[in-house]
Amino acid sequence: DGETAVGVGALGGTVNQFPDLDSTLDSIRMKLRYAKSGRLDIEAGFRYESFSSSDWALAGVEPNTIPAILSLGADPYDYNVWVLSLSFRYLIGERGITFPE
């Protein structure tokens, strides 16, 4: 949640309050790694992300509503993403790291 106030003057001027900004982000990630051999790993992954926002400065502002504004026709962000992945990793050198004494 965000709040914005403008018009605060040094001489006690009035404060104009804009409507609150709301945004929600939900995300989950999972990975599963399987060591097929000493050098080959197989990894499967899943990710879900959902984002939504309510931005009064963008919502309902179309090209013919307000002249000379930069965000004409832009909409507040609102998306859902599902990602599945499969990857392979082959190690050329040794698996462990050794440090000199």
Coordinates of all heavy atoms in Angstrom, one line a residue:
D1 N 0.8 -1.2 0.0 CA 0.0 0.0 0.0 C 0.9 1.2 0.0 O 1.9 1.3 0.7 CB -0.9 0.0 1.2 CG -1.9 -1.1 1.2 OD1 -2.3 -1.5 0.1 OD2 -2.3 -1.5 2.3
G2 N 0.5 2.2 -0.8 CA 1.3 3.5 -0.8 C 0.4 4.7 -0.7 O -0.8 4.7 -1.1
E3 N 0.8 5.7 0.0 CA 0.1 6.9 0.1 C 0.9 8.1 -0.4 O 2.1 8.1 -0.1 CB -0.3 7.2 1.6 CG -1.2 6.1 2.2 CD -1.5 6.3 3.7 OE1 -1.1 7.4 4.2 OE2 -2.1 5.5 4.3
T4 N 0.3 9.1 -1.0 CA 1.0 10.2 -1.6 C 0.3 11.5 -1.2 O -1.0 11.6 -1.3 CB 1.1 10.2 -3.1 OG1 1.7 8.9 -3.5 CG2 1.9 11.3 -3.6
A5 N 1.0 12.5 -0.7 CA 0.4 13.8 -0.3 C 1.2 14.9 -1.0 O 2.4 14.8 -1.1 CB 0.4 14.0 1.2
V6 N 0.5 15.9 -1.6 CA 1.2 17.0 -2.2 C 0.6 18.3 -1.8 O -0.5 18.3 -1.2 CB 1.1 16.9 -3.8 CG1 1.8 15.7 -4.3 CG2 -0.3 16.9 -4.2
G7 N 1.2 19.4 -2.0 CA 0.7 20.7 -1.7 C 1.0 21.1 -0.3 O 0.3 22.0 0.2
V8 N 2.0 20.6 0.4 CA 2.3 21.0 1.7 C 3.2 22.2 1.6 O 4.2 22.2 1.0 CB 3.1 19.9 2.5 CG1 3.5 20.3 3.9 CG2 2.3 18.6 2.5
G9 N 2.6 23.3 2.1 CA 3.3 24.6 2.1 C 4.0 25.0 3.4 O 3.6 24.5 4.4
A10 N 5.0 25.8 3.3 CA 5.7 26.3 4.5 C 4.8 27.1 5.4 O 5.1 27.2 6.6 CB 7.0 27.0 4.1
L11 N 3.8 27.7 4.8 CA 3.0 28.6 5.6 C 1.7 27.9 6.0 O 0.6 28.6 6.2 CB 2.6 29.9 4.8 CG 3.9 30.7 4.3 CD1 3.4 31.8 3.4 CD2 4.6 31.2 5.5
G12 N 1.7 26.6 6.1 CA 0.5 25.9 6.6 C -0.6 25.7 5.5 O -1.8 25.7 5.8
G13 N -0.2 25.6 4.2 CA -1.1 25.4 3.2 C -1.8 24.1 3.3 O -1.5 23.2 4.1
T14 N -2.9 23.9 2.5 CA -3.6 22.7 2.5 C -2.9 21.5 1.9 O -2.0 21.7 1.1 CB -5.0 22.8 1.8 OG1 -4.7 23.1 0.4 CG2 -5.8 23.9 2.4
V15 N -3.2 20.3 2.3 CA -2.6 19.1 1.8 C -3.6 18.4 0.9 O -4.7 18.1 1.4 CB -2.1 18.2 3.0 CG1 -1.6 16.9 2.4 CG2 -1.1 18.9 3.8
N16 N -3.3 18.1 -0.3 CA -4.2 17.3 -1.2 C -3.7 15.9 -1.1 O -2.6 15.6 -1.4 CB -4.1 17.8 -2.6 CG -4.6 19.2 -2.8 OD1 -5.5 19.6 -2.1 ND2 -4.0 20.0 -3.6
Q17 N -4.6 15.0 -0.8 CA -4.3 13.6 -0.7 C -4.8 12.8 -1.9 O -5.9 12.9 -2.3 CB -5.0 13.0 0.6 CG -4.7 11.5 0.8 CD -3.6 11.3 1.8 OE1 -3.3 12.2 2.6 NE2 -3.1 10.1 1.9
F18 N -3.9 12.1 -2.6 CA -4.2 11.2 -3.7 C -4.8 9.9 -3.1 O -4.5 9.5 -2.0 CB -3.0 10.9 -4.6 CG -2.6 12.1 -5.4 CD1 -1.3 12.7 -5.2 CD2 -3.4 12.7 -6.3 CE1 -0.9 13.7 -5.9 CE2 -3.0 13.7 -7.1 CZ -1.8 14.3 -6.9
P19 N -5.5 9.2 -3.9 CA -6.0 7.9 -3.5 C -4.8 6.9 -3.2 O -3.7 7.1 -3.8 CB -6.9 7.3 -4.7 CG -7.2 8.6 -5.4 CD -6.1 9.5 -5.2
D20 N -5.0 5.9 -2.4 CA -4.0 4.9 -2.1 C -3.6 4.1 -3.3 O -4.5 3.8 -4.2 CB -4.4 4.0 -1.0 CG -4.5 4.7 0.4 OD1 -4.0 5.9 0.5 OD2 -5.1 4.2 1.3
L21 N -2.4 3.6 -3.4 CA -1.9 2.7 -4.4 C -1.8 1.3 -3.8 O -1.3 1.2 -2.7 CB -0.5 3.1 -4.9 CG -0.4 4.5 -5.5 CD1 1.0 4.8 -5.8 CD2 -1.3 4.6 -6.7
D22 N -2.4 0.3 -4.4 CA -2.4 -1.0 -3.9 C -1.7 -2.0 -4.9 O -2.0 -1.9 -6.1 CB -3.8 -1.5 -3.6 CG -4.5 -0.7 -2.5 OD1 -3.9 -0.4 -1.5 OD2 -5.7 -0.4 -2.7
S23 N -0.9 -2.8 -4.4 CA -0.3 -3.9 -5.3 C -0.1 -5.2 -4.4 O 0.1 -5.1 -3.3 CB 1.0 -3.4 -5.9 OG 2.0 -3.2 -4.9
T24 N -0.2 -6.3 -5.1 CA -0.1 -7.6 -4.5 C 0.8 -8.5 -5.4 O 0.6 -8.6 -6.6 CB -1.5 -8.3 -4.4 OG1 -2.3 -7.4 -3.6 CG2 -1.4 -9.6 -3.7
L25 N 1.8 -9.1 -4.8 CA 2.7 -10.1 -5.4 C 2.7 -11.4 -4.7 O 3.0 -11.4 -3.5 CB 4.1 -9.5 -5.5 CG 5.1 -10.4 -6.1 CD1 4.9 -10.7 -7.6 CD2 6.5 -9.9 -5.9
D26 N 2.3 -12.4 -5.4 CA 2.4 -13.8 -4.8 C 3.3 -14.6 -5.7 O 3.2 -14.6 -6.9 CB 1.0 -14.5 -4.8 CG 0.0 -13.7 -3.9 OD1 0.4 -13.4 -2.8 OD2 -1.1 -13.5 -4.3
S27 N 4.2 -15.3 -5.1 CA 5.2 -16.1 -5.9 C 5.6 -17.4 -5.1 O 5.7 -17.4 -3.9 CB 6.5 -15.2 -6.1 OG 7.4 -15.9 -6.8
I28 N 5.8 -18.4 -5.9 CA 6.3 -19.7 -5.4 C 7.3 -20.3 -6.4 O 7.1 -20.2 -7.6 CB 5.2 -20.6 -5.0 CG1 5.7 -21.9 -4.3 CG2 4.4 -21.0 -6.3 CD1 4.7 -22.8 -3.7
R29 N 8.4 -20.9 -5.8 CA 9.4 -21.5 -6.7 C 9.7 -22.9 -6.0 O 9.8 -23.0 -4.8 CB 10.7 -20.8 -6.7 CG 10.6 -19.5 -7.4 CD 12.0 -18.9 -7.4 NE 11.9 -17.5 -7.8 CZ 13.0 -16.7 -8.0 NH1 14.2 -17.2 -7.8 NH2 12.9 -15.4 -8.3
M30 N 9.9 -23.9 -6.9 CA 10.3 -25.2 -6.4 C 11.4 -25.7 -7.4 O 11.2 -25.5 -8.6 CB 9.2 -26.1 -6.4 CG 8.2 -25.8 -5.3 SD 6.9 -27.0 -5.1 CE 5.8 -26.5 -6.4
K31 N 12.4 -26.4 -6.9 CA 13.4 -27.0 -7.8 C 13.7 -28.4 -7.2 O 13.7 -28.7 -6.0 CB 14.7 -26.2 -7.7 CG 14.7 -25.0 -8.5 CD 16.1 -24.4 -8.6 CE 16.0 -23.1 -9.4 NZ 17.3 -22.5 -9.5
L32 N 14.0 -29.3 -8.1 CA 14.3 -30.7 -7.8 C 15.6 -31.0 -8.6 O 15.5 -30.9 -9.9 CB 13.2 -31.6 -8.2 CG 13.5 -33.1 -8.0 CD1 13.7 -33.4 -6.5 CD2 12.3 -33.9 -8.5
R33 N 16.6 -31.4 -7.9 CA 17.9 -31.7 -8.6 C 18.2 -33.2 -8.3 O 18.1 -33.7 -7.2 CB 19.0 -30.9 -8.1 CG 20.3 -31.2 -8.8 CD 21.5 -30.3 -8.4 NE 21.1 -28.9 -8.7 CZ 21.6 -27.9 -8.1 NH1 22.5 -28.0 -7.1 NH2 21.3 -26.6 -8.4
Y34 N 18.6 -33.9 -9.4 CA 18.9 -35.3 -9.3 C 20.3 -35.5 -9.9 O 20.6 -35.1 -11.0 CB 17.9 -36.1 -10.1 CG 18.2 -37.6 -10.3 CD1 18.2 -38.4 -9.2 CD2 18.6 -38.1 -11.5 CE1 18.5 -39.8 -9.3 CE2 18.9 -39.5 -11.6 CZ 18.9 -40.3 -10.5 OH 19.2 -41.6 -10.6
A35 N 21.2 -36.1 -9.1 CA 22.5 -36.4 -9.6 C 22.5 -37.7 -10.3 O 22.5 -38.8 -9.7 CB 23.5 -36.4 -8.4
K36 N 22.5 -37.7 -11.6 CA 22.4 -38.9 -12.4 C 23.7 -39.7 -12.4 O 23.7 -40.9 -12.3 CB 22.1 -38.5 -13.9 CG 22.1 -39.6 -14.9 CD 20.9 -40.4 -14.7 CE 20.9 -41.4 -15.9 NZ 20.0 -42.5 -15.6
S37 N 24.8 -38.9 -12.3 CA 26.2 -39.6 -12.2 C 27.1 -38.6 -11.4 O 26.6 -37.6 -11.0 CB 26.7 -39.9 -13.6 OG 27.0 -38.8 -14.3
G38 N 28.3 -38.9 -11.4 CA 29.3 -38.0 -10.7 C 29.4 -36.7 -11.4 O 29.8 -35.7 -10.8
R39 N 29.1 -36.6 -12.7 CA 29.3 -35.4 -13.4 C 28.0 -34.8 -14.0 O 28.0 -33.7 -14.4 CB 30.3 -35.6 -14.6 CG 31.7 -36.0 -14.1 CD 32.6 -36.0 -15.3 NE 34.0 -36.4 -14.9 CZ 34.9 -35.5 -14.6 NH1 34.7 -34.2 -14.7 NH2 36.1 -35.9 -14.3
L40 N 27.0 -35.6 -14.1 CA 25.7 -35.1 -14.7 C 24.6 -34.9 -13.7 O 24.3 -35.8 -12.9 CB 25.3 -36.1 -15.8 CG 24.0 -35.8 -16.5 CD1 24.1 -34.5 -17.3 CD2 23.5 -37.0 -17.4
D41 N 24.1 -33.7 -13.7 CA 22.9 -33.4 -12.8 C 21.7 -33.0 -13.7 O 21.9 -32.4 -14.8 CB 23.2 -32.1 -11.9 CG 24.2 -32.4 -10.8 OD1 24.4 -33.6 -10.5 OD2 24.7 -31.4 -10.3
I42 N 20.5 -33.4 -13.3 CA 19.3 -33.1 -14.0 C 18.5 -32.3 -13.0 O 18.3 -32.7 -11.9 CB 18.5 -34.3 -14.5 CG1 19.4 -35.2 -15.4 CG2 17.2 -34.0 -15.2 CD1 18.9 -36.5 -15.8
E43 N 17.9 -31.2 -13.5 CA 17.2 -30.3 -12.6 C 15.8 -29.9 -13.3 O 15.8 -29.6 -14.4 CB 17.9 -29.0 -12.3 CG 17.3 -28.1 -11.3 CD 18.2 -27.0 -10.9 OE1 19.1 -27.2 -10.1 OE2 17.9 -25.9 -11.4
A44 N 14.8 -30.1 -12.5 CA 13.4 -29.7 -12.9 C 13.0 -28.5 -12.0 O 13.2 -28.5 -10.8 CB 12.4 -30.8 -12.8
G45 N 12.3 -27.6 -12.6 CA 11.8 -26.4 -11.8 C 10.4 -26.0 -12.1 O 9.9 -26.3 -13.2
F46 N 9.8 -25.4 -11.2 CA 8.4 -24.9 -11.3 C 8.4 -23.5 -10.6 O 8.9 -23.3 -9.6 CB 7.4 -25.8 -10.6 CG 6.1 -25.2 -10.4 CD1 5.2 -25.0 -11.4 CD2 5.7 -24.7 -9.2 CE1 4.0 -24.4 -11.2 CE2 4.5 -24.1 -8.9 CZ 3.6 -24.0 -10.0
R47 N 7.7 -22.5 -11.3 CA 7.6 -21.2 -10.7 C 6.2 -20.6 -11.1 O 5.8 -20.7 -12.2 CB 8.6 -20.3 -11.2 CG 8.5 -18.9 -10.6 CD 9.7 -18.0 -11.0 NE 9.5 -16.7 -10.4 CZ 10.4 -15.7 -10.5 NH1 11.6 -16.0 -11.1 NH2 10.2 -14.6 -9.9
Y48 N 5.5 -20.0 -10.1 CA 4.3 -19.4 -10.3 C 4.4 -18.0 -9.7 O 4.9 -17.8 -8.6 CB 3.1 -20.1 -9.7 CG 1.8 -19.3 -9.7 CD1 1.1 -19.1 -10.9 CD2 1.4 -18.7 -8.6 CE1 0.0 -18.4 -10.9 CE2 0.2 -17.9 -8.6 CZ -0.5 -17.8 -9.8 OH -1.6 -17.0 -9.8
E49 N 3.9 -17.0 -10.5 CA 3.9 -15.6 -10.0 C 2.7 -14.9 -10.4 O 2.3 -15.0 -11.6 CB 5.2 -14.8 -10.5 CG 5.3 -13.5 -9.9 CD 6.6 -12.8 -10.2 OE1 7.7 -13.4 -9.8 OE2 6.6 -11.8 -11.0
S50 N 2.1 -14.2 -9.5 CA 0.9 -13.4 -9.7 C 1.1 -12.0 -9.2 O 1.5 -11.8 -8.0 CB -0.3 -14.1 -9.0 OG -1.5 -13.3 -9.2
F51 N 0.8 -11.0 -10.0 CA 1.0 -9.6 -9.6 C -0.2 -8.8 -10.1 O -0.7 -9.0 -11.2 CB 2.2 -9.0 -10.2 CG 2.5 -7.6 -9.8 CD1 3.0 -7.3 -8.6 CD2 2.1 -6.5 -10.6 CE1 3.2 -6.0 -8.2 CE2 2.3 -5.2 -10.2 CZ 2.9 -4.9 -9.0
S52 N -0.8 -8.0 -9.2 CA -1.8 -7.1 -9.6 C -1.6 -5.8 -8.8 O -1.1 -5.7 -7.8 CB -3.2 -7.7 -9.2 OG -3.3 -7.8 -7.8
S53 N -2.1 -4.7 -9.5 CA -2.0 -3.4 -8.9 C -3.2 -2.5 -9.2 O -3.9 -2.8 -10.2 CB -0.7 -2.7 -9.4 OG -0.8 -2.4 -10.8
S54 N -3.4 -1.6 -8.4 CA -4.5 -0.6 -8.5 C -3.9 0.8 -8.5 O -3.6 1.3 -7.4 CB -5.5 -0.8 -7.4 OG -6.5 0.2 -7.5
D55 N -3.7 1.3 -9.7 CA -3.0 2.6 -9.8 C -4.0 3.7 -10.3 O -4.3 3.6 -11.5 CB -1.8 2.5 -10.6 CG -0.9 3.8 -10.6 OD1 -1.4 4.8 -10.1 OD2 0.2 3.7 -11.2
W56 N -4.4 4.6 -9.5 CA -5.4 5.6 -9.9 C -4.9 6.5 -11.0 O -5.6 7.0 -11.8 CB -5.9 6.4 -8.7 CG -4.7 7.2 -8.1 CD1 -3.9 6.7 -7.1 CD2 -4.2 8.4 -8.5 NE1 -2.9 7.6 -6.8 CE2 -3.1 8.7 -7.7 CE3 -4.5 9.4 -9.5 CZ2 -2.4 9.9 -7.8 CZ3 -3.8 10.5 -9.6 CH2 -2.7 10.8 -8.7
A57 N -3.6 6.6 -11.1 CA -3.0 7.5 -12.1 C -3.0 6.9 -13.5 O -2.9 7.6 -14.5 CB -1.5 7.8 -11.8
L58 N -3.2 5.6 -13.6 CA -3.3 4.9 -14.9 C -4.6 4.4 -15.3 O -5.0 4.4 -16.4 CB -2.3 3.7 -14.9 CG -0.8 4.0 -14.8 CD1 0.0 2.8 -14.8 CD2 -0.4 4.9 -16.0
A59 N -5.4 3.9 -14.3 CA -6.7 3.3 -14.5 C -7.7 4.3 -15.1 O -7.9 5.4 -14.5 CB -7.2 2.7 -13.2
G60 N -8.2 4.0 -16.2 CA -9.3 4.8 -16.8 C -8.8 6.0 -17.6 O -9.5 6.8 -18.1
V61 N -7.4 6.2 -17.7 CA -6.9 7.4 -18.4 C -6.7 6.9 -19.9 O -5.8 6.1 -20.1 CB -5.6 7.9 -17.8 CG1 -5.0 9.0 -18.7 CG2 -5.8 8.3 -16.4
E62 N -7.5 7.3 -20.8 CA -7.4 6.9 -22.2 C -6.9 8.1 -23.0 O -6.8 9.3 -22.5 CB -8.8 6.5 -22.7 CG -9.3 5.2 -21.9 CD -8.4 4.0 -22.1 OE1 -7.7 3.9 -23.2 OE2 -8.2 3.3 -21.1
P63 N -6.5 7.9 -24.3 CA -6.0 9.0 -25.1 C -6.9 10.3 -25.2 O -6.4 11.4 -25.4 CB -5.8 8.4 -26.4 CG -5.5 6.9 -26.1 CD -6.4 6.7 -24.9
N64 N -8.2 10.1 -25.1 CA -9.0 11.3 -25.2 C -9.5 11.9 -23.9 O -10.4 12.7 -23.9 CB -10.2 10.9 -26.1 CG -11.0 9.8 -25.5 OD1 -10.7 9.2 -24.5 ND2 -12.1 9.5 -26.2
T65 N -9.0 11.4 -22.8 CA -9.5 11.9 -21.5 C -8.8 13.1 -21.0 O -9.4 14.1 -20.5 CB -9.5 10.8 -20.4 OG1 -8.2 10.3 -20.3 CG2 -10.5 9.7 -20.7
I66 N -7.5 13.1 -21.0 CA -6.6 14.2 -20.5 C -5.6 14.6 -21.5 O -4.8 13.7 -22.0 CB -6.0 13.8 -19.2 CG1 -7.0 13.5 -18.1 CG2 -5.1 15.0 -18.7 CD1 -6.4 12.9 -16.9
P67 N -5.5 15.8 -22.0 CA -4.5 16.2 -23.0 C -3.1 16.3 -22.4 O -2.9 16.5 -21.2 CB -4.9 17.6 -23.5 CG -5.7 18.1 -22.3 CD -6.4 16.9 -21.6
A68 N -2.1 16.0 -23.2 CA -0.7 16.2 -22.8 C -0.3 15.3 -21.6 O 0.3 15.8 -20.7 CB -0.3 17.6 -22.6
I69 N -0.6 14.1 -21.6 CA -0.2 13.2 -20.5 C 0.7 12.1 -21.1 O 0.4 11.6 -22.3 CB -1.4 12.7 -19.7 CG1 -1.0 12.3 -18.3 CG2 -2.0 11.5 -20.4 CD1 -2.2 12.2 -17.4
L70 N 1.7 11.6 -20.5 CA 2.6 10.7 -21.1 C 2.2 9.2 -21.1 O 2.6 8.4 -21.9 CB 4.0 10.7 -20.3 CG 4.7 12.0 -20.5 CD1 6.0 12.0 -19.6 CD2 5.1 12.3 -21.9
S71 N 1.3 8.8 -20.1 CA 1.0 7.4 -20.0 C -0.4 7.1 -20.7 O -1.2 6.4 -20.1 CB 0.9 7.0 -18.6 OG 0.0 7.7 -17.9
L72 N -0.7 7.7 -21.8 CA -1.9 7.5 -22.5 C -2.2 6.0 -22.8 O -1.4 5.4 -23.5 CB -2.0 8.3 -23.7 CG -2.0 9.8 -23.5 CD1 -2.0 10.5 -24.8 CD2 -3.2 10.3 -22.7
G73 N -3.3 5.5 -22.4 CA -3.7 4.1 -22.7 C -2.9 3.0 -21.9 O -3.2 1.9 -22.2
A74 N -2.1 3.4 -21.0 CA -1.4 2.4 -20.2 C -2.3 1.9 -19.1 O -3.1 2.6 -18.6 CB -0.1 3.0 -19.6
D75 N -2.2 0.6 -18.8 CA -3.0 0.0 -17.8 C -2.1 -0.4 -16.6 O -0.9 -0.8 -16.8 CB -3.7 -1.3 -18.4 CG -4.8 -0.9 -19.4 OD1 -5.4 0.1 -19.2 OD2 -4.9 -1.7 -20.3
P76 N -2.7 -0.5 -15.4 CA -1.9 -1.0 -14.3 C -1.5 -2.4 -14.5 O -2.2 -3.2 -15.2 CB -2.8 -0.9 -13.1 CG -3.9 0.1 -13.5 CD -4.0 0.0 -15.0
Y77 N -0.4 -2.9 -14.0 CA 0.1 -4.2 -14.2 C -0.8 -5.2 -13.6 O -1.3 -5.0 -12.5 CB 1.5 -4.4 -13.6 CG 2.6 -3.7 -14.3 CD1 3.2 -2.6 -13.7 CD2 3.0 -4.1 -15.6 CE1 4.2 -1.9 -14.4 CE2 4.0 -3.4 -16.3 CZ 4.6 -2.3 -15.7 OH 5.6 -1.7 -16.3
D78 N -1.1 -6.3 -14.3 CA -1.9 -7.4 -13.8 C -1.6 -8.6 -14.6 O -1.9 -8.7 -15.8 CB -3.4 -7.0 -13.9 CG -4.3 -8.1 -13.3 OD1 -3.8 -8.9 -12.6 OD2 -5.5 -8.0 -13.6
Y79 N -0.8 -9.6 -14.0 CA -0.4 -10.8 -14.7 C -0.3 -12.0 -13.9 O -0.2 -11.9 -12.6 CB 0.9 -10.5 -15.5 CG 2.1 -10.3 -14.6 CD1 2.8 -11.4 -14.0 CD2 2.5 -9.0 -14.3 CE1 3.9 -11.2 -13.2 CE2 3.6 -8.8 -13.5 CZ 4.3 -9.9 -12.9 OH 5.4 -9.7 -12.1
N80 N -0.4 -13.2 -14.5 CA -0.1 -14.5 -13.9 C 0.8 -15.2 -14.8 O 0.6 -15.2 -16.0 CB -1.4 -15.3 -13.8 CG -2.4 -14.7 -12.8 OD1 -2.0 -14.3 -11.7 ND2 -3.6 -14.5 -13.2
V81 N 1.9 -15.8 -14.2 CA 2.9 -16.5 -15.0 C 3.2 -17.9 -14.4 O 3.3 -18.0 -13.2 CB 4.2 -15.7 -15.0 CG1 5.3 -16.4 -15.7 CG2 4.1 -14.3 -15.6
W82 N 3.2 -18.9 -15.3 CA 3.5 -20.2 -14.9 C 4.7 -20.6 -15.7 O 4.7 -20.5 -16.9 CB 2.4 -21.2 -15.2 CG 1.1 -20.9 -14.5 CD1 0.1 -20.0 -14.8 CD2 0.6 -21.6 -13.4 NE1 -0.9 -20.1 -14.0 CE2 -0.6 -21.0 -13.0 CE3 1.1 -22.6 -12.5 CZ2 -1.4 -21.4 -11.9 CZ3 0.4 -23.0 -11.5 CH2 -0.9 -22.4 -11.2
V83 N 5.8 -21.1 -15.1 CA 7.0 -21.5 -15.8 C 7.4 -22.9 -15.3 O 7.5 -23.2 -14.1 CB 8.1 -20.6 -15.5 CG1 9.4 -21.0 -16.2 CG2 7.8 -19.2 -16.0
L84 N 7.6 -23.8 -16.3 CA 8.2 -25.1 -16.0 C 9.6 -25.2 -16.7 O 9.7 -24.7 -17.8 CB 7.3 -26.2 -16.6 CG 5.9 -26.4 -15.9 CD1 5.1 -27.4 -16.7 CD2 6.1 -26.7 -14.5
S85 N 10.6 -25.8 -16.1 CA 11.9 -25.8 -16.7 C 12.5 -27.2 -16.5 O 12.2 -27.9 -15.5 CB 12.8 -24.7 -16.1 OG 13.0 -25.0 -14.7
L86 N 13.4 -27.5 -17.4 CA 14.2 -28.7 -17.3 C 15.6 -28.4 -17.8 O 15.7 -27.8 -18.8 CB 13.6 -29.8 -18.2 CG 14.3 -31.2 -18.2 CD1 14.2 -31.8 -16.8 CD2 13.6 -32.1 -19.2
S87 N 16.6 -28.7 -16.9 CA 17.9 -28.4 -17.3 C 18.9 -29.5 -17.0 O 18.6 -30.4 -16.1 CB 18.4 -27.1 -16.6 OG 18.4 -27.3 -15.2
F88 N 20.0 -29.5 -17.7 CA 21.0 -30.5 -17.5 C 22.3 -29.8 -17.3 O 22.6 -28.8 -17.9 CB 21.2 -31.4 -18.8 CG 19.9 -32.1 -19.2 CD1 19.0 -31.5 -20.0 CD2 19.7 -33.4 -18.6 CE1 17.9 -32.2 -20.4 CE2 18.5 -34.0 -19.0 CZ 17.6 -33.5 -19.8
R89 N 23.1 -30.3 -16.3 CA 24.4 -29.7 -16.0 C 25.5 -30.8 -16.0 O 25.4 -31.8 -15.3 CB 24.4 -29.0 -14.7 CG 25.7 -28.4 -14.3 CD 25.7 -27.5 -13.1 NE 24.9 -28.1 -12.0 CZ 24.6 -27.5 -10.9 NH1 24.9 -26.2 -10.8 NH2 23.9 -28.1 -10.0
Y90 N 26.5 -30.6 -16.9 CA 27.6 -31.6 -16.9 C 28.9 -30.9 -16.4 O 29.3 -29.8 -16.9 CB 27.8 -32.0 -18.4 CG 28.9 -33.1 -18.5 CD1 28.5 -34.4 -18.2 CD2 30.2 -32.8 -18.9 CE1 29.5 -35.4 -18.2 CE2 31.1 -33.8 -18.9 CZ 30.8 -35.1 -18.6 OH 31.7 -36.1 -18.7
L91 N 29.5 -31.5 -15.4 CA 30.7 -30.9 -14.8 C 31.9 -31.4 -15.5 O 32.1 -32.6 -15.6 CB 30.7 -31.2 -13.3 CG 29.5 -30.8 -12.5 CD1 29.6 -31.3 -11.1 CD2 29.4 -29.3 -12.5
I92 N 32.8 -30.5 -15.9 CA 34.0 -30.9 -16.6 C 35.1 -31.2 -15.6 O 35.8 -32.2 -15.8 CB 34.4 -29.7 -17.6 CG1 33.4 -29.6 -18.7 CG2 35.8 -30.0 -18.2 CD1 33.6 -28.4 -19.6
G93 N 35.2 -30.4 -14.5 CA 36.2 -30.6 -13.5 C 35.6 -31.5 -12.4 O 34.6 -32.2 -12.5
E94 N 36.3 -31.4 -11.3 CA 35.9 -32.2 -10.1 C 34.7 -31.5 -9.5 O 34.5 -30.3 -9.5 CB 37.0 -32.3 -9.1 CG 38.2 -33.1 -9.6 CD 39.3 -33.1 -8.5 OE1 39.0 -33.0 -7.3 OE2 40.4 -33.4 -8.9
R95 N 33.8 -32.3 -8.8 CA 32.6 -31.8 -8.2 C 32.9 -30.9 -7.0 O 32.4 -29.9 -6.7 CB 31.7 -32.9 -7.8 CG 30.4 -32.4 -7.2 CD 29.4 -33.5 -7.0 NE 28.8 -34.1 -8.2 CZ 27.8 -33.6 -8.8 NH1 27.2 -32.5 -8.3 NH2 27.3 -34.1 -9.9
G96 N 33.9 -31.3 -6.1 CA 34.2 -30.6 -4.9 C 35.2 -29.5 -5.1 O 36.0 -29.5 -6.1
I97 N 35.3 -28.5 -4.2 CA 36.2 -27.4 -4.3 C 37.3 -27.7 -3.2 O 36.9 -27.9 -2.1 CB 35.6 -26.1 -4.1 CG1 34.6 -25.8 -5.2 CG2 36.6 -25.0 -4.1 CD1 33.8 -24.5 -5.0
T98 N 38.5 -27.7 -3.6 CA 39.6 -27.8 -2.6 C 40.4 -26.5 -2.5 O 40.7 -25.9 -3.5 CB 40.5 -29.0 -3.0 OG1 41.1 -28.7 -4.3 CG2 39.8 -30.3 -3.0
F99 N 40.7 -26.2 -1.3 CA 41.5 -25.0 -1.0 C 42.9 -25.3 -0.5 O 43.0 -26.3 0.2 CB 40.8 -24.1 0.1 CG 39.4 -23.6 -0.4 CD1 38.3 -24.2 0.1 CD2 39.3 -22.5 -1.2 CE1 37.0 -23.7 -0.3 CE2 38.1 -22.0 -1.6 CZ 37.0 -22.6 -1.2
P100 N 43.9 -24.6 -1.0 CA 45.2 -24.9 -0.5 C 45.3 -24.6 1.0 O 44.7 -23.7 1.5 CB 46.1 -24.0 -1.4 CG 45.2 -22.9 -1.9 CD 43.8 -23.5 -1.9
E101 N 46.2 -25.3 1.6 CA 46.4 -25.1 3.1 C 47.3 -24.0 3.4 O 48.2 -23.6 2.8 CB 46.8 -26.4 3.7 CG 45.8 -27.5 3.4 CD 45.7 -28.5 4.6 OE1 46.1 -28.2 5.7 OE2 45.0 -29.5 4.3

